[in-house]
Amino acid sequence: MRAAELRSFCLGFNGSVEEFPFGDMVSVFKVGGKIFALSWLEGEPLRVNLKCEPENALRLRADHPAIVPGYHMNKRHWNTVTVGELPSRLVRELVEDSYDLVVAGLPRAVRLSLDRP
């Protein structure tokens, strides 16, 4: 997966937006005002920070050397994923899981506006 594909995939979710609160280089993808993915899309190698359930985060880190505790994030809830070292399918699943986890924590009215229960 390349940077343009990652960006397009993140923006494909209902209600997702891209913002640049940390400068022009760092893309922050949000839903309902909450971050679900953060990446320096020009970085080599391409990495993305993704939210994850704590137990799952530990398992993923143990299973995949390309997944480490979230850089500049709460290490319990965030992973940094080196995109090119993992299958694209797994990266997509991790992004979707991050999005779903953030949406689940949003107020009910916001979730319903996103067509999510």
Side-chain angles (χ1 to χ4, degrees), residues 63-82:
D63 292 348
H64 304 282
I67 301 176
V68 297
Y71 181 71
H72 282 293
M73 305 297 271
N74 181 324
K75 310 284 189 249
R76 186 163 185 253
H77 296 277
W78 290 85
N79 283 333
T80 296
V81 176
T82 303

Side-chain angles (χ1 to χ4, degrees), residues 10 15-22 26-39 48-52 72-73 77-79 95 97-103 105-106:
C10 287
S16 68
V17 296
E18 181 181 24
E19 296 179 358
F20 298 90
F22 306 116
V26 180
S27 292
V28 176
F29 300 96
K30 294 181 175 184
V31 59
K34 304 289 184 184
I35 298 172
F36 72 91
L38 181 142
S39 180
V48 61
N49 284 359
L50 299 168
K51 192 158 187 154
C52 192
H72 282 293
M73 305 297 271
H77 296 277
W78 290 85
N79 283 333
V95 172
D97 288 348
S98 180
Y99 173 85
D100 289 342
L101 193 56
V102 171
V103 167
L106 294 173

Side-chain angles (χ1 to χ4, degrees), residues 81-102:
V81 176
T82 303
V83 175
E85 295 180 19
L86 295 170
S88 293
R89 182 174 154 240
L90 177 58
V91 173
R92 285 185 184 91
E93 288 173 6
L94 295 173
V95 172
E96 186 172 3
D97 288 348
S98 180
Y99 173 85
D100 289 342
L101 193 56
V102 171

Side-chain angles (χ1 to χ4, degrees), residues 99-116:
Y99 173 85
D100 289 342
L101 193 56
V102 171
V103 167
L106 294 173
R108 185 173 188 269
V110 176
R111 287 195 317 268
L112 291 175
S113 73
L114 298 170
D115 293 327
R116 300 280 202 175

